[in-house]
Amino acid sequence: MTIEDQDHTSITTSLLTLLNVSATRAGKRKVEEEVFVPAEKLNKRKSARISETASTPETDIRHEEHVPEEEEAAQEMEDDASYVKDTYELHFGNDPPILSESSRGSVDVKSWTTSKTRNGCLGATVLSIPAGSVSPEENEPSIDILERLRAPFRARQSKQPREQTNLQNDLLSTLSTRRDLYLASTPLDSRTSIREAIALHAVNHVTKKRRRVLKNNERLAHAAKADPDAEPPQDVQDQGFTRPSVLFLLPFRSSALDWYSAIISHAPPSTFQIENQARFTSEYGLPPGAIDKLAEAEPGTYPRDHVETFKGNVDDNFRVGIKLTRKSVKMFAEFYGCDVILASPLGLRRSIEKEKNADYLSSIEVLVVDQLDALSMQNWDHVKFVLSHLNKLPKESHDTDFSRLKSWYLEGHAAYLRQSIFLAAYETPEARALYNNALINIEGKIRTQKHWSPVSVPEGIQQTFVHFDCVSPKDEADKRFHYFTTQLLPAILKSAVQSANTAVFIPSSFDFIRVQNYFKKHSGVSFTVLSEYSTNQDISRARQAFFQGKKSFLLISERFHFYKRHVPFPSSDINRGHNAIDMQLIQV
């Protein structure tokens, strides 16, 4: 039996088990022979057991319940007459033409055909498509957005600078190809515009999915009414295992607040109602009376990128579901009844480990990971943990109507069609590895390239790169640490000048702990540390001890610089005899 046959058998066994559990569980929908029951609407899902996401007892404005399904379906369909052959239907329909055995095989063995080009305002980009796939003809770029959503967006674009409009249009036309996208360097001035465009793409995805479900509900109801004894239509596969289809993975609550604002900016203000808005802004903003020292500081006091990253509520443990209907948005919707999830990696991991499953992530079709640079300064393992649980077969049925499931969900191929969007201020090795290994969209993937200008070394400072031998990248951390402790550090300790005035900058948190523990074991070396956990008093004492010569070494973590943005000593101090070692710059 081949590996592919084994995988197919495993998926089939899992689905049969899921069906059996669904049929025997009390309260679940049962399929009765020769009796057709019209499918329930998409929002009929089992409640999640996540207490943090339960909504407060407020009036539940359910416009979907007040508008007849036939009328709502007609309203959805009148928006755009060309919905049948749009890129959403071609990519996320029941039988996408690009989902072939050869394309999946190429992705599985990481065989990509790569080409470089320029993509409008996105700049230089690298396009990767599965080897052997036929690259689609590059016609005039088109934006696949419903007219009902795009018309007010164009009206807002007419009031902003032309450069922002061009950037948004180029971004939307790229996203409309359904390829993965990695923006490796997002300028500060463009972040709001980029968020609005991506939020529009996400809302458009949810709207098209809902419209297709409502249309098929209408067809099934009409067929049952016309001839109750006839077989129902067979081409109504339009759903996943669970309702959530869009996931935003974010570092802070303030980031969730920004994306929430971007999402509701595409809602018609005169007819839209937002439930639990006050609770959301209260929990995800600053407490009443709190002063944001970064936002209120005089311009220039802190670097602008630092202010934009850390202003507002920077709690990193959160998750919230958003339910979108034609006329309302419900915040704090239960996960199995929502369309969009805003969450941090830590928040989702705690939820998954508590619930012992991640079924609500089984049908994610659009993934947005924002501020990868900030996430890399948190626990990166949380990011990898969450991504490893996407698009897996659920452990429970959650009232899934299996007659409405798209075939590629049943076959376990959802990950090959998921569109992932990565955003970062600058590129990191962790983010590039995630892009290379975790993104398997058979439509292809695009990443932007940024060439940074060299920075001149201040006059009077000598910069030296130290080389050490390393055969395998897996051994790099151990080899670097071994070279530092057996070659570089002993040489520094022998120098009367360097042994008394040396700062060691350590990018990796694991290396930082390792070096700190090594210094602790050597009583003959006096040192102090600056880390992300250092208080203002700790910082002051460490600096004073180092500059007064009471401590010979100052160990500085990269996270200290990221979170505190505190300059331990100006470059002029290096000229006066202080030495700095960057462990990342000990070159292999």
Side-chain angles (χ1 to χ4, degrees), residues 445-489:
K445 51 187 178 181
I446 302 171
R447 64 175 174 87
T448 58
Q449 280 189 315
K450 174 70 174 181
H451 296 285
W452 302 93
S453 301
V455 178
S456 59
V457 179
E459 185 178 355
I461 295 179
Q462 181 180 359
Q463 187 176 30
T464 304
F465 291 87
V466 181
H467 175 88
F468 68 92
D469 295 327
C470 182
V471 177
S472 172
K474 295 181 180 180
D475 301 329
E476 180 183 347
D478 292 336
K479 294 289 186 179
R480 181 189 295 110
F481 179 76
H482 178 75
Y483 184 89
F484 175 76
T485 55
T486 61
Q487 301 293 327
L488 188 59
L489 185 58

Coordinates of all heavy atoms in Angstrom, one line a residue, residues 445-489:
K445 N 2.3 31.2 -4.4 CA 2.5 32.2 -3.3 C 3.4 33.3 -3.8 O 4.3 33.1 -4.6 CB 3.1 31.5 -2.1 CG 4.3 30.6 -2.3 CD 4.6 29.9 -1.0 CE 5.8 28.9 -1.2 NZ 6.1 28.2 0.1
I446 N 3.3 34.5 -3.2 CA 4.0 35.7 -3.6 C 4.6 36.3 -2.4 O 3.9 36.4 -1.4 CB 3.1 36.7 -4.3 CG1 2.4 36.1 -5.6 CG2 3.9 38.0 -4.7 CD1 1.4 37.0 -6.2
R447 N 5.9 36.7 -2.5 CA 6.5 37.5 -1.4 C 7.2 38.7 -2.0 O 7.7 38.6 -3.1 CB 7.4 36.7 -0.6 CG 8.6 36.2 -1.3 CD 9.6 35.4 -0.3 NE 10.7 34.8 -1.1 CZ 11.8 35.5 -1.4 NH1 12.0 36.8 -1.0 NH2 12.8 34.9 -2.0
T448 N 7.1 39.8 -1.2 CA 7.8 41.0 -1.7 C 9.2 41.0 -1.3 O 9.6 40.3 -0.3 CB 7.1 42.3 -1.1 OG1 7.1 42.2 0.3 CG2 5.6 42.3 -1.6
Q449 N 10.1 41.7 -2.1 CA 11.5 41.8 -1.8 C 11.8 43.2 -1.4 O 11.4 44.2 -2.1 CB 12.3 41.3 -2.9 CG 12.4 39.8 -3.1 CD 13.4 39.4 -4.2 OE1 13.4 40.0 -5.2 NE2 14.3 38.5 -3.9
K450 N 12.6 43.4 -0.4 CA 13.0 44.7 0.1 C 14.5 44.7 0.2 O 15.1 43.9 0.9 CB 12.4 45.1 1.4 CG 12.9 46.4 2.0 CD 12.4 47.6 1.3 CE 12.8 48.9 2.0 NZ 12.3 50.1 1.3
H451 N 15.2 45.6 -0.6 CA 16.6 45.8 -0.5 C 16.9 47.0 0.3 O 16.6 48.1 0.0 CB 17.2 45.9 -1.9 CG 17.0 44.7 -2.8 ND1 17.7 43.6 -2.7 CD2 16.1 44.5 -3.8 CE1 17.3 42.7 -3.6 NE2 16.3 43.2 -4.3
W452 N 17.6 46.7 1.5 CA 17.9 47.8 2.4 C 19.2 48.4 2.1 O 20.2 47.7 1.7 CB 17.9 47.2 3.9 CG 16.6 46.5 4.3 CD1 16.3 45.2 4.2 CD2 15.5 47.2 4.8 NE1 15.1 45.0 4.6 CE2 14.5 46.2 5.0 CE3 15.2 48.5 5.1 CZ2 13.2 46.4 5.6 CZ3 13.9 48.8 5.6 CH2 13.0 47.8 5.9
S453 N 19.2 49.7 2.2 CA 20.5 50.4 2.0 C 21.5 50.2 3.1 O 21.1 50.0 4.3 CB 20.2 51.9 1.9 OG 19.3 52.2 0.9
P454 N 22.7 50.1 2.8 CA 23.7 49.8 3.9 C 23.8 51.0 4.9 O 23.6 52.1 4.5 CB 25.0 49.6 3.1 CG 24.8 50.4 1.8 CD 23.4 50.2 1.5
V455 N 24.1 50.6 6.1 CA 24.3 51.7 7.2 C 25.7 51.8 7.5 O 26.4 50.8 7.7 CB 23.5 51.2 8.4 CG1 23.7 52.3 9.5 CG2 22.0 51.1 8.1
S456 N 26.2 53.0 7.4 CA 27.7 53.2 7.6 C 28.0 53.1 9.1 O 27.2 53.4 10.0 CB 28.1 54.6 7.2 OG 27.3 55.6 7.9
V457 N 29.2 52.5 9.4 CA 29.6 52.3 10.8 C 30.2 53.7 11.2 O 30.9 54.4 10.6 CB 30.8 51.3 10.8 CG1 31.3 51.1 12.2 CG2 30.3 50.0 10.3
P458 N 29.7 54.1 12.4 CA 30.2 55.4 12.9 C 31.7 55.5 13.0 O 32.4 54.5 13.2 CB 29.6 55.5 14.4 CG 28.4 54.6 14.3 CD 28.8 53.5 13.3
E459 N 32.2 56.7 12.8 CA 33.7 56.9 12.7 C 34.3 56.5 14.1 O 33.8 56.9 15.1 CB 34.0 58.3 12.4 CG 35.4 58.6 12.2 CD 35.7 60.1 11.8 OE1 34.7 60.8 11.5 OE2 36.9 60.4 11.7
G460 N 35.4 55.8 14.1 CA 36.1 55.5 15.3 C 35.8 54.1 15.8 O 36.4 53.7 16.8
I461 N 34.7 53.5 15.2 CA 34.3 52.1 15.7 C 34.8 51.1 14.8 O 34.6 51.2 13.5 CB 32.8 52.1 15.8 CG1 32.3 53.0 16.9 CG2 32.4 50.6 16.2 CD1 30.8 53.0 17.1
Q462 N 35.5 50.1 15.3 CA 36.0 49.0 14.5 C 35.0 47.8 14.6 O 34.7 47.3 15.6 CB 37.4 48.6 15.0 CG 38.0 47.4 14.1 CD 39.4 47.0 14.6 OE1 39.9 47.6 15.6 NE2 40.0 46.0 14.0
Q463 N 34.5 47.4 13.4 CA 33.6 46.3 13.3 C 34.3 45.0 12.8 O 34.9 45.1 11.7 CB 32.4 46.6 12.5 CG 31.3 45.6 12.5 CD 30.1 46.1 11.7 OE1 30.2 46.8 10.7 NE2 28.9 45.7 12.1
T464 N 34.2 43.9 13.5 CA 34.9 42.7 13.1 C 33.9 41.6 13.1 O 33.2 41.3 14.1 CB 36.1 42.4 14.1 OG1 36.9 43.5 14.2 CG2 36.8 41.2 13.6
F465 N 33.9 40.8 12.0 CA 33.1 39.6 11.9 C 34.0 38.4 12.2 O 35.0 38.3 11.6 CB 32.5 39.5 10.5 CG 31.4 40.5 10.2 CD1 31.8 41.7 9.7 CD2 30.1 40.2 10.5 CE1 30.8 42.7 9.4 CE2 29.1 41.2 10.2 CZ 29.5 42.4 9.7
V466 N 33.5 37.5 13.1 CA 34.3 36.4 13.5 C 33.7 35.1 12.8 O 32.5 34.9 12.8 CB 34.3 36.2 15.0 CG1 35.2 35.0 15.4 CG2 34.8 37.5 15.7
H467 N 34.6 34.3 12.2 CA 34.1 33.1 11.5 C 34.3 31.9 12.3 O 35.3 31.7 13.0 CB 34.9 33.0 10.2 CG 34.7 31.8 9.4 ND1 33.7 31.7 8.5 CD2 35.3 30.5 9.4 CE1 33.7 30.5 8.0 NE2 34.6 29.8 8.5
F468 N 33.4 31.0 12.3 CA 33.5 29.7 12.9 C 32.9 28.6 11.9 O 32.0 28.9 11.2 CB 32.9 29.6 14.3 CG 31.4 29.6 14.3 CD1 30.6 28.5 14.2 CD2 30.7 30.9 14.4 CE1 29.2 28.6 14.3 CE2 29.4 30.9 14.4 CZ 28.6 29.8 14.3
D469 N 33.4 27.4 12.0 CA 33.0 26.3 11.1 C 31.8 25.7 11.6 O 31.6 25.4 12.8 CB 34.1 25.3 11.0 CG 35.4 25.8 10.4 OD1 35.3 26.7 9.5 OD2 36.5 25.4 10.8
C470 N 30.9 25.4 10.7 CA 29.6 24.8 11.0 C 29.1 24.1 9.7 O 28.9 24.7 8.7 CB 28.6 25.7 11.5 SG 27.0 25.0 12.0
V471 N 28.9 22.8 9.8 CA 28.5 22.0 8.6 C 27.0 22.1 8.4 O 26.5 22.3 7.3 CB 29.0 20.6 8.7 CG1 28.5 19.7 7.5 CG2 30.5 20.5 8.8
S472 N 26.2 21.9 9.5 CA 24.8 21.8 9.4 C 24.1 23.0 10.1 O 24.5 23.4 11.2 CB 24.3 20.5 10.0 OG 22.8 20.6 10.1
P473 N 23.1 23.6 9.4 CA 22.4 24.8 10.1 C 21.8 24.4 11.4 O 21.6 25.2 12.3 CB 21.3 25.1 9.1 CG 21.8 24.6 7.8 CD 22.6 23.4 8.1
K474 N 21.4 23.1 11.6 CA 20.8 22.6 12.8 C 21.8 22.8 14.0 O 21.4 22.9 15.2 CB 20.4 21.2 12.7 CG 19.2 21.0 11.7 CD 18.8 19.5 11.6 CE 17.7 19.3 10.6 NZ 17.2 17.9 10.6
D475 N 23.1 22.7 13.7 CA 24.1 22.8 14.8 C 24.6 24.2 15.0 O 25.5 24.4 15.8 CB 25.3 21.9 14.4 CG 24.9 20.4 14.2 OD1 23.9 20.0 14.9 OD2 25.5 19.7 13.4
E476 N 24.0 25.2 14.3 CA 24.6 26.5 14.3 C 24.6 27.1 15.7 O 25.6 27.7 16.2 CB 23.8 27.4 13.4 CG 24.4 28.9 13.3 CD 23.5 29.8 12.5 OE1 22.7 29.3 11.7 OE2 23.7 31.0 12.5
A477 N 23.5 27.0 16.4 CA 23.4 27.6 17.8 C 24.4 27.0 18.7 O 25.1 27.7 19.5 CB 22.0 27.4 18.3
D478 N 24.6 25.7 18.7 CA 25.5 25.0 19.5 C 27.0 25.4 19.2 O 27.8 25.6 20.0 CB 25.3 23.5 19.5 CG 24.0 23.0 20.1 OD1 23.5 23.7 21.0 OD2 23.5 21.9 19.7
K479 N 27.2 25.4 17.9 CA 28.6 25.7 17.4 C 28.9 27.2 17.8 O 30.1 27.5 18.2 CB 28.7 25.5 15.9 CG 28.6 24.1 15.4 CD 29.8 23.3 15.8 CE 29.7 21.9 15.2 NZ 30.9 21.1 15.5
R480 N 28.0 28.1 17.6 CA 28.2 29.5 18.0 C 28.5 29.6 19.5 O 29.4 30.3 19.9 CB 27.0 30.4 17.6 CG 27.3 31.9 17.9 CD 26.1 32.7 17.7 NE 25.7 32.8 16.3 CZ 24.6 32.2 15.8 NH1 23.8 31.5 16.7 NH2 24.2 32.3 14.6
F481 N 27.7 29.0 20.3 CA 27.9 29.0 21.7 C 29.2 28.4 22.1 O 30.0 29.0 23.0 CB 26.8 28.3 22.4 CG 26.9 28.3 23.9 CD1 26.6 29.4 24.7 CD2 27.3 27.2 24.6 CE1 26.7 29.4 26.1 CE2 27.4 27.1 26.0 CZ 27.1 28.3 26.7
H482 N 29.6 27.3 21.5 CA 30.9 26.7 21.8 C 32.0 27.6 21.4 O 33.0 27.7 22.2 CB 31.0 25.3 21.0 CG 32.3 24.6 21.2 ND1 32.6 24.0 22.4 CD2 33.4 24.5 20.4 CE1 33.8 23.4 22.3 NE2 34.3 23.7 21.1
Y483 N 31.9 28.2 20.3 CA 33.0 29.1 19.8 C 33.1 30.3 20.8 O 34.2 30.8 21.2 CB 32.8 29.6 18.4 CG 33.9 30.5 17.9 CD1 35.0 29.9 17.2 CD2 33.9 31.9 18.0 CE1 36.0 30.7 16.8 CE2 34.9 32.6 17.6 CZ 36.0 32.0 16.9 OH 37.0 32.8 16.5
F484 N 32.0 30.9 21.2 CA 32.0 32.0 22.1 C 32.6 31.7 23.4 O 33.4 32.5 24.0 CB 30.5 32.5 22.3 CG 30.4 33.6 23.3 CD1 30.7 34.9 22.9 CD2 29.9 33.4 24.6 CE1 30.6 35.9 23.9 CE2 29.8 34.4 25.5 CZ 30.1 35.7 25.1
T485 N 32.3 30.5 24.0 CA 32.8 30.2 25.3 C 34.2 29.7 25.3 O 34.9 29.8 26.3 CB 31.8 29.2 26.0 OG1 31.7 28.0 25.1 CG2 30.5 29.8 26.2
T486 N 34.7 29.1 24.2 CA 36.0 28.5 24.2 C 37.0 29.3 23.5 O 38.2 29.1 23.7 CB 35.9 27.1 23.5 OG1 35.5 27.2 22.2 CG2 35.0 26.2 24.3
Q487 N 36.6 30.2 22.6 CA 37.6 31.0 21.8 C 37.5 32.5 22.1 O 38.4 33.1 22.5 CB 37.4 30.7 20.3 CG 37.6 29.3 19.9 CD 39.0 28.8 20.1 OE1 39.9 29.5 19.9 NE2 39.1 27.5 20.4
L488 N 36.3 33.0 21.9 CA 36.1 34.5 21.9 C 36.1 35.0 23.3 O 36.9 35.9 23.6 CB 34.8 34.9 21.2 CG 34.5 36.4 21.1 CD1 35.7 37.0 20.2 CD2 33.2 36.6 20.4
L489 N 35.4 34.4 24.3 CA 35.3 34.9 25.6 C 36.7 34.8 26.3 O 37.1 35.7 27.0 CB 34.2 34.2 26.4 CG 34.0 34.7 27.8 CD1 33.6 36.2 27.8 CD2 32.9 33.9 28.5

